[in-house]
Amino acid sequence: MNLIDTLREYTGKCINCSFCEAVCPTFQAFEYSSSYGARGRIFLAREISVNKNIINNVRDFFYSCLNCNVCESVCPAGISAGKASLMVKRIISSENEMDYIVNALVKMIMENRSPVGKMDGPSWYDISMKNGSDILFYSGGIYSLMAHAKMLSNIIRNRKMKEIAERILKKNPDIIFLFSNFEDKGLMKRMDTILYKIFYIIKTVYKDVNYLGYMEPYSGALLYEFGYYDEMIEYGNFLRDFFNSLKIKKIITSDPHTHEMMKKIYPENIQGFNFESEFYLDSFRADLKNNGRKYAYHEPCHFSTHLRVDSPLNILKSIGDVSLPARNGRTTYCCGGPIEMLFPSKSERISEIRYGQLRDLETDEIVTSCPVCLSNLEKYGKIRDISEIIFENIIH
Amino acid sequence: MDLVYALREIVGKEYVLDKYEEILPYSRDASIFEGKLPRAVVLPRTSQEISKILRFATENKIPVTVRGGGSSLVGGSVLLEDGIIISMARFDRILEINIENRYVVAEAGVKLDFLNDNLKKYNHFYPPDPASSITATVGGSINTNAGGLRTVMYGATKEWVLGMEVVLPTGEIIQLGGKVLKRALGYDLTSLFIGSEGTLGIITEAILKIAPLPESTGRILSYYEDIENAGRAVSLLKRKGYTPYIAEFMDRIAMDSITKVRGIKFPEKARYLILVDVASTKESLKRMMDEFENVIKETSPLTIKKTIDPVEMDEMYQARKGLYSSQLLERKSPEEYIIIGDVIVPASELPSALKEMDEKIRSSGFRATLFGHIGDGNIHANIFVNPKDRTMMENVFRLLFDLGLIALKHGGSVSSEHGIGLEKKDLIMEEMKFKNSMKNIEIMKNVKGILDPADIMNRGKLI
């Protein structure tokens, strides 16, 4: 069945009950215009499957989808606007003139294995950490990339600046390489420290773990999220061969986006991509002291709706008293991060709403387990990474 | 003056949608009816903006349909003529929660589940609980006098509305009712707008009664082979002085669709399920559940299962709420749709009415499933149809008509909680004729003429 037929059959199950629209963060952030919500996306996707002519006018509706998949959690017929949006993005990316920023990022990933042209290793990285072990700690470079992404979104949030950036990138997409030299210094330092604590925690489980630091390639998550399917397949094949060349058997990930690629997306789409994959807290067993503090926990949507990873929440519960906002579990509320680079102001609106929900719980600290969530929610107040809390409470 | 320009002058450019790809999703709600594409969709934020929009629409005779959650099952929120849709989505604030005086003031676009999430912090709730409460709004549920699962104990929406602000089609903003439980100020205009289906004006905010949450609840699931016995369970409970917190009914097709979507298993031999929730104090819950169980046993169920596990109870509760959409998986092709029947009979008539309806559906040859809020006598018949098959559609509306007549014969009504909309315009007439009350239609038309002289509000619906 071709993509259009698949899209028609998939969206044909919908009867417009609007349960999905009620939980869609972008519906609210985009001022309740239905086309920017889950129901509208499914409606338009179905229309595209019978009338492809409208595809040139619908790009923003689908690229604004967070793919948080909460819509699927509440849909009695099991439909996901996120999945429908990914299908439409595949059609758009294969046939239409794309957003120039997206194009430039994709080009960089394909040519340089990094969205900004090069990967940064953490300051504490030592080449001896690349030790030949078949157990690989793989961060996908996402921690340092957050610091570059923040600079990029700071620039394009200004409409004029975005237009200028698009004009430049249209002529020369390689110019996005410049962003490898621009970063939010504070965020870079924070991410550097978090990554150190994650590595420390991993070492409590796996003494002999291989880590490539600045030599590790990007995970390719953006290719998947932007709907560049062919490129994602090519990139996944590259990653498979790369890991095989290092004789890797097991991949330990540290964030939801990279973990989803390793655990689900590549194994489902790439032949021979069958590495054992686990999130770094899944096997963590060290003793922790219960400090009696109150924590609010923000569940990353890729963990609660895509993968059902609950080890961070369970570990946090063993350290303190954990509260969850009304929107939790399979109906969690996204941090807004996935659309930060394309719709910065709307992304911020979603982050602000979510931070408010967490703040209203009136706990001592707010915690998450995703660098994207952390970077976005932090704009509105203090938020800690789960690794920081574990590091402080581990009994040595 | 150009319509879109005029609307943008009132609410701002960003809040008037007129591009094809923006307005397309507004051509449908959750019913089988496809509406006309609106000339524009407007998203106002204040009553004053709505006042200006309606005054402009009345002066220029522009048809207006109001949209809350857009989840109408009878075509209530689609536009039939060349006009505009006013979305109430931006009226999304809870303005006041007053526990001492037991009321909440909420804007019309507030979702019912969102309202209850906020009230839960105070150990209170707003009882009306339509199955679509995740997306149903305060304004929409008042306009349809929504009922739902808890109606058996708490009544429908009309029991819980103390007052409201309404913008009339001629632009006046009026306040109805108030924050007190009693008032004697002549005709009850608050009630006039409950169930008015957007034909008289636009409700912008409402004062709603709230209640403390029950201290504890438990569930009894009883399974039957025979529909009459299933129907007897609730009427017998009521006869013996018991009021369930929730009392739901479903047939085997409904159970199977829940199994497919949620993975919840039901006994193989069971053809019908009665789900009864018991609300009580913590100390007396077990005793009450035992007493309920003893009564239910008198109706010869195949098996009975009891639970007080909140996770298990919530799973089944959500499954019941999503039952309509779950049944989509039973469709034989994507072209198939489901038409939902919605009638009501007094509880004592349930056993015989259910049997007659079951036989009527079987003899019609349609694939259909029976379920409903049996506690208040509300029965839904979900019928699988192909809307493109004209003969089939004529036959299905004939079947719905016949089911309505069965309800009337048993002292009930053709419309319980979904409203009239487009689907039941013939049936409302039939009920009025049956009750020799055609004067009611004339009165309704006269009221509509007074409040909406240009006849712009939700034209073609209700009457």
Side-chain angles (χ1 to χ4, degrees):
Chain A
M1 197 186 285
N2 67 33
L3 190 55
I4 289 283
D5 290 340
T6 307
L7 187 64
R8 187 183 307 118
E9 186 176 307
Y10 188 67
T11 54
K13 292 187 285 183
C14 171
I15 45 95
N16 293 301
C17 72
S18 93
F19 285 19
C20 56
E21 190 170 272
V23 296
C24 179
T26 56
F27 179 56
Q28 187 177 11
F30 284 81
E31 302 292 349
Y32 299 111
S33 167
S34 193
S35 299
Y36 283 102
R39 169 162 64 173
R41 291 187 184 108
I42 293 167
F43 199 101
L44 289 169
R46 187 167 46 195
E47 182 71 9
I48 289 165
S49 74
V50 292
N51 171 20
K52 238 171 112 184
N53 293 333
I54 67 167
I55 198 128
N56 290 321
N57 306 323
V58 297
R59 193 180 70 186
D60 281 1
F61 305 139
F62 293 97
Y63 275 84
S64 56
C65 175
L66 298 157
N67 193 24
C68 65
N69 253 7
V70 172
C71 46
E72 186 179 25
S73 302
V74 300
C75 175
I79 306 169
S80 158
K83 285 178 187 156
S85 294
L86 284 172
M87 285 189 241
V88 174
K89 284 187 220 175
R90 270 181 70 180
I91 297 167
I92 294 174
S93 67
S94 62
E95 297 185 12
N96 290 267
E97 195 173 67
M98 279 295 304
D99 185 297
Y100 298 116
I101 295 169
V102 172
N103 266 346
L105 291 168
V106 170
K107 189 168 185 287
M108 277 294 130
I109 296 168
M110 297 310 292
E111 291 175 2
N112 300 293
R113 316 305 180 204
S114 160
V116 290
K118 75 176 180 66
M119 299 297 270
D120 305 282
S123 62
W124 45 267
Y125 183 71
D126 185 292
I127 194 71
S128 65
M129 291 171 182
K130 186 188 174 191
N131 62 9
S133 166
D134 59 6
I135 300 172
L136 179 74
F137 165 45
Y138 178 58
S139 80
I142 196 167
Y143 289 84
S144 57
L145 285 172
M146 294 316 302
H148 297 297
K150 194 168 181 183
M151 287 302 281
L152 180 59
S153 72
N154 280 346
I155 289 171
I156 63 171
R157 72 144 52 84
N158 179 305
R159 186 176 287 183
K160 268 231 150 64
M161 291 299 287
K162 188 181 181 196
E163 282 170 11
I164 293 169
E166 281 182 334
R167 271 209 300 275
I168 295 169
L169 289 170
K170 186 180 179 183
K171 283 186 185 163
N172 184 4
D174 292 339
I175 213 91
I176 203 143
F177 185 81
L178 286 174
F179 275 94
S180 62
N181 297 313
F182 294 111
E183 65 204 31
D184 182 303
K185 301 279 182 206
L187 187 58
M188 185 64 102
K189 199 173 169 190
R190 177 93 194 279
M191 292 296 176
D192 195 270
T193 316
I194 288 172
L195 206 52
Y196 173 79
K197 287 168 184 170
I198 289 170
F199 191 63
Y200 179 90
I201 291 164
I202 291 171
K203 293 280 276 183
T204 66
V205 181
Y206 300 101
K207 305 287 176 215
D208 185 27
V209 66
N210 196 348
Y211 176 40
L212 306 177
Y214 62 88
M215 291 170 281
E216 66 177 8
Y218 173 61
S219 71
L222 281 176
L223 299 173
Y224 172 67
E225 285 159 18
F226 287 154
Y228 281 72
Y229 185 78
D230 293 342
E231 288 80 356
M232 183 197 80
I233 297 295
E234 186 185 331
Y235 197 79
N237 282 322
F238 153 73
L239 278 182
R240 178 200 57 207
D241 296 344
F242 177 76
F243 293 143
N244 278 334
S245 72
L246 296 169
K247 299 189 169 38
I248 299 302
K249 288 197 173 130
K250 185 170 194 170
I251 297 171
I252 315 287
T253 59
S254 56
D255 77 276
H257 297 266
T258 307
H259 189 58
E260 186 181 18
M261 296 305 290
M262 299 300 123
K263 184 87 181 174
K264 192 163 181 271
I265 307 303
Y266 287 141
E268 284 175 3
N269 290 280
I270 307 288
Q271 208 170 14
F273 200 103
N274 45 19
F275 308 97
E276 190 185 341
S277 173
E278 74 174 40
F279 183 60
Y280 79 106
L281 293 176
D282 287 349
S283 296
F284 177 72
R285 296 288 179 274
D287 289 334
L288 296 163
K289 76 177 170 227
N290 187 310
N291 62 18
R293 287 175 70 76
K294 290 181 179 170
Y295 296 109
Y297 181 60
H298 166 72
E299 292 162 285
C301 21
H302 284 252
F303 276 171
S304 53
T305 66
H306 293 222
L307 297 164
R308 317 276 166 83
V309 172
D310 52 12
S311 53
L313 176 59
N314 291 335
I315 290 169
L316 191 62
K317 281 178 178 171
S318 72
I319 297 174
D321 182 10
V322 180
S323 299
L324 297 171
R327 292 285 299 271
N328 68 72
R330 296 186 66 196
T331 59
T332 190
Y333 196 95
C334 182
C335 69
I339 59 170
E340 186 192 9
M341 283 195 282
L342 298 180
F343 304 93
S345 63
K346 301 300 181 187
S347 165
E348 282 177 6
R349 175 81 187 112
I350 295 165
S351 308
E352 186 182 12
I353 292 169
R354 182 52 166 176
Y355 194 85
Q357 294 168 0
L358 293 158
R359 187 183 49 219
D360 287 351
L361 296 170
E362 296 178 346
T363 56
D364 298 320
E365 293 192 283
I366 300 171
V367 182
T368 191
S369 51
C370 169
V372 179
C373 299
L374 187 136
S375 156
N376 280 276
L377 294 172
E378 202 173 45
K379 292 168 189 167
Y380 298 93
K382 198 175 173 192
I383 181 156
R384 313 279 314 276
D385 187 78
I386 182 80
S387 62
E388 297 175 300
I389 308 295
I390 294 172
F391 192 79
E392 286 162 10
N393 292 283
I394 201 161
I395 299 171
H396 300 279
Chain B
M1 191 191 294
D2 172 63
L3 171 67
V4 172
Y5 177 82
L7 294 172
R8 287 189 170 143
E9 284 288 294
I10 297 168
V11 297
K13 187 171 182 253
E14 194 180 347
Y15 300 112
V16 180
L17 313 176
D18 67 335
K19 293 195 179 79
Y20 176 73
E21 296 79 12
E22 291 174 327
I23 59 177
L24 191 60
Y26 294 87
S27 62
R28 294 296 294 258
D29 54 21
S31 71
I32 63 157
F33 300 103
E34 184 162 4
K36 199 173 167 67
L37 272 183
R39 285 165 71 186
V41 175
V42 201
L43 293 119
R45 178 68 198 88
T46 66
S47 299
Q48 288 69 29
E49 286 175 353
I50 292 181
S51 167
K52 288 177 189 169
I53 295 165
L54 290 187
R55 192 168 286 140
F56 178 83
T58 287
E59 283 168 7
N60 295 281
K61 295 198 181 325
I62 296 165
V64 174
T65 289
V66 190
R67 191 173 173 100
S71 57
S72 172
L73 294 168
V74 292
S77 46
V78 295
L79 187 68
L80 296 180
E81 297 168 294
D82 191 31
I84 61 171
I85 284 178
I86 297 180
S87 165
M88 297 301 287
R90 291 176 69 216
F91 282 71
D92 60 356
R93 293 178 305 171
I94 296 170
L95 303 173
E96 184 187 355
I97 293 176
N98 192 316
I99 301 300
E100 194 179 354
N101 292 308
R102 294 260 168 90
Y103 70 79
V104 60
V105 184
E107 291 186 326
V110 169
K111 311 274 186 197
L112 298 185
D113 276 4
F114 178 75
L115 179 64
N116 274 326
D117 280 346
N118 280 274
L119 290 170
K120 198 176 174 184
K121 296 171 198 163
Y122 304 93
N123 206 32
H124 277 64
F125 76 132
Y126 171 65
D129 183 29
S132 57
S133 59
I134 190 172
T135 188
T137 59
V138 165
S141 58
I142 293 174
N143 267 299
T144 54
N145 188 22
L149 281 69
R150 293 190 283 245
T151 308
V152 58
M153 180 170 271
Y154 295 96
T157 298
K158 68 183 171 62
E159 316 291 344
W160 295 88
V161 181
L162 292 173
M164 60 179 79
E165 180 181 89
V166 176
V167 184
L168 296 176
T170 41
E172 296 92 341
I173 301 170
I174 58 172
Q175 310 294 329
L176 304 172
K179 294 175 178 175
V180 289
L181 287 173
K182 294 187 287 187
R183 53 189 180 270
L185 289 167
Y187 304 133
D188 186 356
L189 296 180
T190 308
S191 293
L192 180 63
F193 281 85
I194 300 172
S196 64
E197 300 191 26
T199 60
L200 300 179
I202 298 183
I203 299 166
T204 52
E205 64 183 57
I207 307 161
L208 306 168
K209 277 195 288 185
I210 55 176
L213 279 163
E215 199 174 297
S216 61
T217 54
R219 176 162 301 155
I220 303 169
L221 300 163
S222 49
Y223 298 94
Y224 296 83
E225 201 168 3
D226 173 59
I227 196 166
E228 262 187 298
N229 279 333
R232 272 202 315 130
V234 174
S235 54
L236 192 60
L237 277 168
K238 285 188 165 178
R239 199 182 308 153
K240 296 207 172 190
Y242 298 103
T243 303
Y245 180 59
I246 288 172
E248 293 292 308
F249 160 80
M250 62 182 80
D251 68 6
R252 187 73 221 187
I253 300 175
M255 286 186 260
D256 287 343
S257 64
I258 286 178
T259 303
K260 274 186 193 164
V261 174
R262 310 264 175 175
I264 299 172
K265 300 264 170 50
F266 301 94
E268 271 182 27
K269 283 186 181 171
R271 289 183 60 201
Y272 304 99
L273 160 65
I274 298 289
L275 177 158
V276 170
D277 276 12
V278 180
S280 182
T281 59
K282 279 180 192 163
E283 292 78 13
S284 62
L285 182 65
K286 186 182 176 309
R287 176 176 63 80
M288 290 299 290
M289 284 184 72
D290 288 345
E291 289 181 19
F292 270 65
E293 184 185 13
N294 288 336
V295 175
I296 290 170
K297 273 182 180 167
E298 290 179 38
T299 59
S300 310
L302 290 168
T303 52
I304 289 181
K305 189 187 171 215
K306 292 195 291 185
T307 180
I308 55 167
D309 176 7
V311 176
E312 192 184 345
M313 286 173 69
D314 189 58
E315 272 177 12
M316 187 65 197
Y317 180 72
Q318 297 305 334
R320 165 59 192 89
K321 284 188 130 186
L323 185 54
Y324 166 44
S325 305
S326 303
Q327 290 182 340
L328 294 169
L329 296 185
E330 302 296 324
R331 289 187 296 180
K332 288 187 173 159
S333 73
E335 285 74 38
E336 254 190 353
Y337 259 78
I338 293 172
I339 287 195
I340 307 186
D342 170 43
V343 297
I344 187 163
V345 296
S348 62
E349 295 291 317
L350 272 170
S352 51
L354 269 175
K355 190 167 181 246
E356 277 182 54
M357 287 181 195
D358 195 37
E359 284 167 0
K360 177 60 75 180
I361 291 169
R362 282 170 196 272
S363 66
S364 73
F366 278 102
R367 276 196 315 130
T369 173
L370 270 179
F371 66 104
H373 312 302
I374 199 164
D376 57 47
N378 186 182
I379 304 162
H380 297 307
N382 278 8
I383 307 162
F384 294 88
V385 294
N386 181 349
K388 288 175 186 160
D389 184 335
R390 186 175 285 183
T391 310
M392 182 185 254
M393 292 306 288
E394 281 170 10
N395 289 338
V396 81
F397 282 114
R398 181 69 236 172
L399 173 61
L400 286 173
F401 197 84
D402 290 343
L403 295 176
L405 293 182
I406 293 171
L408 287 174
K409 194 179 81 181
H410 287 274
S413 175
V414 300
S415 171
S416 177
E417 58 178 4
H418 297 168
I420 300 296
L422 290 168
E423 191 180 292
K424 291 190 173 173
K425 288 168 72 177
D426 291 342
L427 275 168
I428 189 177
M429 291 299 178
E430 196 59 29
E431 178 159 343
M432 295 305 172
K433 280 183 210 158
F434 186 86
K435 292 176 175 169
N436 199 19
S437 301
M438 285 303 285
K439 184 75 181 171
N440 293 10
I441 299 290
E442 190 186 325
I443 293 168
M444 283 199 254
K445 283 182 175 170
N446 286 339
V447 169
K448 164 94 169 151
I450 292 166
L451 295 176
D452 181 17
D455 191 19
I456 60 166
M457 299 302 297
N458 218 6
R459 283 166 58 86
K461 316 285 175 62
L462 189 55
I463 47 172

